[in-house]
């Protein structure tokens, strides 16, 4: 998982980490920060351990060793202290990390670090067009913020802090990141999916962890919050997630907002030796013992050339269907995300995903639609032809004069619903002669209210009104706001007004 947020308190990261290079398991604090190996870090001479003074100088003063790195000193550049790209491993991987021996635990941490590095590399090449290089200080942490439990939940994650400067490869100097930060957010979902795909591939091929897909992420086989032997343990150590879900966020974006609004101040971190002892005790209570590790791990994944091609074909087919499931055209980053999600638990690395992306976009199945709203967009050739046929049919239907509504019915609907002048004009348009009409407008302008008046006018004229929505929830909302009552499809043969989903209408 990947979350992106502005850095407010740079001192938090270095304060939470131990200052010595070699991590002491028995002392308070997380491992010391590490500079990722990027061209930007190399240009500044930054490598290995993050030094407190260097990090704070870069984030707060945009300076290093007392030298300013920006030619300008504008106010908004002063306020930008960096961006926190937080990469979190799936919950079951954190549990495996808790019960693992030192060797396997180190391998899991290395797989996590490698996946983060590949995700950052993608952001540099795609979000920054390969022209600039990020300067990233990575801080590994092992627990979440306080949840409902006496101790924090185990959560292997890394704060990849992008300092507010990037290295311009052409100009060979540091420039402000503030003008490119928006692109990091645009590529967030694709980068997060690539991180998960790379992490899954390394876990399967190096350690031999058996994995399975779960929605858009993956878990260790047999670990799920919904079912299975370890369901109770997964939910017990997901207390922070349960707090967020209690607010019933509508989507992932709203869930992230709730997470930032409800999170408390992170308390002083206990020594990992103490945390691991308490976590392992809880695992034992839920019948997951460190001694069971050998039962969870299998032989590292080895695949023949034919097996690799087969998995790539399955991944490509699933992604090609996913990118056109809800829209007729897509961008490169949307395809990367779809491929990365489909590749999880199939042993495909991030390099395989980028290669499949280039191959699919260059294939005969895809049409380049050109640049639309700053993004080059593509379409599936078959979908494109179907869309052209549909638009041609719409043009023919628009010329047919039918579905007439008497003026007295329109006037009655206007008076009963109390429409504004703009809504009255819209009502006249949608009830005019013609077999197809479209009503559009920004949120809050009363589109649904106007359609409720149109429903009454059509009904009074003697027509049967069928309301159609994409999902069951939208169907119910449409029924409540337009008084088109939902009912069983079997009643469609009658004269009652209907409100159903599109898929059910087409199926029947």
């Amino acid at each position: 998982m990947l979350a992106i947020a502005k850095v407010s308190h740079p001192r938090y990261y270095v304060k939470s980490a131990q200052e010595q290079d070699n991590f002491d398991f028995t002392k308070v604090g997380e491992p010391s920060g590490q500079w990722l190996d990027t061209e930007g870090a190399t240009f500044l001479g930054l490598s290995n351990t993050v030094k407190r003074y260097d990090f704070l100088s870069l984030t707060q003063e945009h300076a290093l060793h007392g030298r300013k790195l920006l030619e300008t000193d504008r106010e908004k550049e002063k306020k930008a202290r960096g961006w926190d790209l937080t990469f979190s491993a799936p919950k079951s991987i954190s549990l495996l990390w808790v019960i693992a021996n030192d060797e396997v635990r180190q391998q899991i941490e290395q797989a996590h670090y490698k996946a983060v590095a590949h995700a950052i590399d993608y952001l540099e090449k795609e979000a920054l067009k390969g022209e600039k290089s990020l300067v990233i200080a990575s801080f590994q942490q092992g627990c979440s913020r306080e949840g409902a439990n006496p101790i924090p939940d185990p959560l292997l994650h890394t704060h990849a802090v992008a300092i507010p400067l990037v290295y311009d490869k052409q100009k060979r100097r540091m420039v402000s990141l503030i003008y490119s930060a928006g692109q990091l957010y645009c590529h967030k979902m694709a980068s997060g999916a690539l991180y998960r795909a790379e992490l899954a591939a390394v876990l399967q091929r190096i350690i031999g962890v058996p994995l399975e897909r779960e929605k858009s992420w993956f878990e260790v086989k047999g670990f799920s919050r919904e079912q299975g032997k370890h369901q109770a343990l997964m939910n017990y150590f997901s207390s922070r997630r349960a707090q967020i879900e209690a607010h019933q966020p509508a989507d992932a974006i709203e869930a992230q907002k709730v997470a930032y609004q409800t999170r408390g101040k992170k308390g002083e971190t206990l020594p990992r030796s103490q945390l691991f002892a308490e976590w392992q005790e809880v695992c034992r209570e839920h019948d997951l013992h460190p001694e069971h590790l050998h039962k969870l791990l299998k032989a590292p994944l080895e695949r023949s050339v034919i097996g690799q091609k087969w998995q790539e074909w399955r991944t490509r087919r699933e992604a090609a269907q996913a990118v056109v499931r809800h829209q007729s055209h897509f961008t490169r980053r949307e395809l990367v995300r779809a491929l990365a999600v489909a590749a999880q638990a199939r042993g495909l690395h991030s390099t395989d995903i980028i290669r499949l992306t280039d191959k699919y976009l260059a294939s005969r199945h895809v049409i380049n639609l050109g640049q639309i709203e700053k993004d080059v967009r593509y379409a599936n050739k078959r979908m494109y032809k179907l869309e052209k046929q549909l638009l041609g049919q719409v043009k023919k239907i628009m010329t047919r004069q039918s579905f007439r509504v008497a003026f007295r019915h329109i006037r009655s609907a206007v008076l009963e619903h109390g429409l504004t002048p703009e809504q009255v004009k819209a009502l006249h348009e949608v009830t005019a002669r013609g077999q197809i009409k479209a009503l559009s407008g920004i949120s809050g302008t009363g589109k649904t209210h106007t359609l409720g008046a149109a429903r009454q006018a059509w009904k009074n004229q003697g027509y049967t009104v069928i309301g159609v929505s994409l999902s069951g929830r939208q169907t119910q909302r449409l029924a409540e706001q337009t008084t088109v009552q939902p009912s069983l499809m079997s009643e469609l043969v009658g004269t009652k007004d209907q409100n159903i989903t599109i898929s059910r209408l087409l199926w029947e």
Side-chain angles (χ1 to χ4, degrees):
M1 315 301 172
L2 170 60
I4 301 180
K6 276 189 176 182
V7 172
S8 300
H9 306 287
R11 292 182 182 276
Y12 160 76
Y13 304 98
V14 289
K15 185 179 179 181
S16 302
Q18 295 181 5
E19 293 191 29
Q20 68 269 20
D21 293 345
N22 297 321
F23 177 57
D24 191 335
F25 199 71
T26 62
K27 291 185 178 180
V28 173
E30 303 284 8
S32 58
Q34 299 291 317
W35 292 107
L36 288 188
D37 184 18
T38 63
E39 288 190 45
T42 301
F43 176 77
L44 294 179
L46 300 170
S47 62
N48 302 324
T49 304
V50 175
K51 302 301 181 184
R52 180 189 296 259
Y53 177 77
D54 292 344
F55 180 75
L56 294 179
S57 295
L58 286 167
T59 53
Q60 296 180 344
E61 303 296 333
H62 299 179
L64 185 63
H65 306 314
R67 181 172 63 90
K68 287 279 185 180
L69 298 176
L70 280 184
E71 295 178 0
T72 57
D73 194 23
R74 284 174 283 193
E75 189 64 26
K76 63 179 179 179
E77 289 176 340
K78 276 187 173 183
K79 292 180 180 178
R81 297 185 172 183
W83 281 262
D84 182 350
L85 287 66
T86 306
F87 295 88
S88 303
K91 180 60 65 177
S92 60
I93 301 302
S94 293
L95 292 179
L96 186 66
W97 177 66
V98 165
I99 67 169
N101 55 41
D102 292 342
E103 180 184 0
V104 174
R105 186 175 298 154
Q106 188 175 16
Q107 288 178 327
I108 293 174
E109 291 175 1
Q110 289 174 349
H112 170 69
Y113 182 85
K114 182 179 179 181
V116 170
H118 277 269
I120 297 299
D121 182 62
Y122 165 80
L123 287 174
E124 287 190 332
K125 291 177 179 177
E126 300 290 339
L128 304 181
K129 308 299 181 184
E131 300 171 354
K132 299 173 183 176
S133 177
L134 294 165
V135 182
I136 300 285
S138 65
F139 298 89
Q140 184 207 108
Q141 296 187 357
C143 61
S144 66
R145 291 180 178 271
E146 301 296 336
N149 301 325
I151 56 173
D153 301 331
L155 178 64
L156 177 61
H157 64 287
T158 289
H159 292 282
V161 180
I163 68 169
L165 309 169
V166 290
Y167 172 57
D168 190 313
K169 298 180 182 179
Q170 293 182 340
K171 298 178 180 178
R172 295 186 178 181
R173 63 182 177 85
M174 303 305 294
V175 297
S176 176
L177 175 60
I178 193 169
Y179 303 105
S180 304
Q183 286 301 309
L184 299 183
Y185 286 94
C186 288
H187 289 266
K188 171 193 163 205
M189 302 303 290
S191 180
L194 268 179
Y195 156 77
R196 297 194 300 275
E198 181 65 29
L199 177 61
V202 176
L203 291 173
Q204 286 180 296
R205 291 181 175 271
I206 304 300
I207 309 175
V209 182
L211 305 175
E212 58 186 359
R213 279 267 303 279
E214 187 164 330
K215 298 178 182 178
S216 63
W217 68 94
F218 70 91
E219 299 287 0
V220 177
K221 196 170 184 178
F223 287 73
S224 172
R225 294 183 66 218
E226 309 297 332
Q227 58 185 357
K229 177 181 178 182
H230 303 294
Q231 179 185 4
L233 178 61
M234 289 281 286
N235 284 308
Y236 180 86
F237 277 138
S238 300
S239 61
R240 177 66 182 133
R241 182 173 176 176
Q243 287 179 330
I244 297 171
E245 290 177 347
H247 289 77
Q248 299 180 338
D251 50 35
I253 296 176
E254 188 175 333
Q256 185 170 333
K257 290 181 181 178
V258 171
Y260 286 124
Q261 292 170 355
T262 60
R263 66 180 183 178
K265 187 177 181 181
K266 196 168 186 178
E268 185 177 353
T269 306
L270 299 173
R272 277 198 181 176
S273 56
Q274 181 179 342
L275 283 172
F276 271 77
E278 296 191 40
W279 287 336
Q280 289 177 2
E281 183 60 31
V282 174
C283 288
R284 288 190 181 93
E285 294 173 0
H286 289 81
D287 198 24
L288 179 63
H289 301 262
E291 296 79 18
H292 294 166
L293 179 66
H294 68 281
K295 295 182 180 179
L296 294 174
L297 302 182
K298 306 296 181 184
L301 179 64
E302 295 183 3
R303 185 171 289 151
S304 64
V305 174
I306 295 177
Q308 177 78 4
K309 294 293 184 183
W310 166 245
Q311 293 299 337
E312 289 182 2
W313 180 83
R314 292 179 64 196
T315 300
R316 181 177 168 182
R317 183 185 64 172
E318 181 181 331
Q321 294 173 347
V323 291
V324 295
R325 186 168 297 149
H326 302 295
Q327 56 189 23
S328 58
H329 48 79
F330 55 91
T331 62
R332 176 183 173 85
R333 67 172 175 270
E334 289 168 340
L335 178 61
V336 169
R337 178 192 176 189
L339 283 166
V341 169
Q344 292 175 110
R346 287 178 173 159
L348 301 184
H349 290 277
S350 59
T351 51
D352 298 322
I353 292 165
I354 300 301
R355 177 171 51 81
L356 289 175
T357 300
D358 295 332
K359 185 177 180 180
Y360 183 68
L361 292 180
S363 71
R364 60 184 177 84
H365 302 292
V366 176
I367 295 176
N368 187 329
L369 300 177
Q371 188 164 318
I372 303 173
E373 295 181 355
K374 299 182 180 180
D375 282 318
V376 177
R377 305 196 76 87
Y378 304 86
N380 177 281
K381 185 175 289 186
R382 181 171 174 269
M383 180 72 73
Y384 181 74
K385 290 181 178 179
L386 288 173
E387 194 175 50
K388 287 188 70 175
Q389 292 175 4
L390 175 64
L391 291 174
Q393 293 170 352
V394 167
K395 289 180 180 179
K396 291 180 181 178
I397 293 174
M398 287 176 65
T399 61
R400 297 175 186 172
Q401 301 295 312
S402 59
F403 296 106
R404 175 182 175 277
V405 180
F407 180 75
R408 66 179 184 276
H409 297 317
I410 298 176
R411 182 175 57 187
S412 175
V414 169
L415 294 174
E416 183 170 333
H417 287 77
L419 302 183
T420 65
E422 283 189 353
Q423 292 169 345
V424 171
K425 183 179 179 181
L427 177 62
H428 279 286
E429 290 288 341
V430 297
T431 55
R433 288 179 180 272
Q435 286 191 328
I436 186 166
K437 300 288 180 181
L439 176 63
S440 65
I442 63 174
S443 179
T445 54
K447 297 184 298 295
T448 308
H449 185 60
T450 304
L451 287 178
R455 180 210 64 84
Q456 179 186 327
W458 284 320
K459 182 178 179 181
N460 291 342
Q461 188 66 40
Y463 297 119
T464 298
V465 182
I466 303 176
V468 182
S469 296
L470 286 171
S471 67
R473 180 179 296 181
Q474 291 175 335
T475 296
Q476 184 63 35
R477 188 182 305 163
L478 185 64
E480 294 170 353
Q481 295 179 345
T482 64
T483 68
V484 179
Q485 298 302 319
S487 57
L488 296 175
M489 193 64 204
S490 59
E491 296 178 357
L492 187 57
V493 295
T495 58
K496 293 185 177 180
D497 294 337
Q498 303 293 315
N499 197 294
I500 56 178
T501 60
I502 290 176
S503 58
R504 187 164 186 182
L505 174 67
L506 296 178
W507 175 259
E508 294 294 337

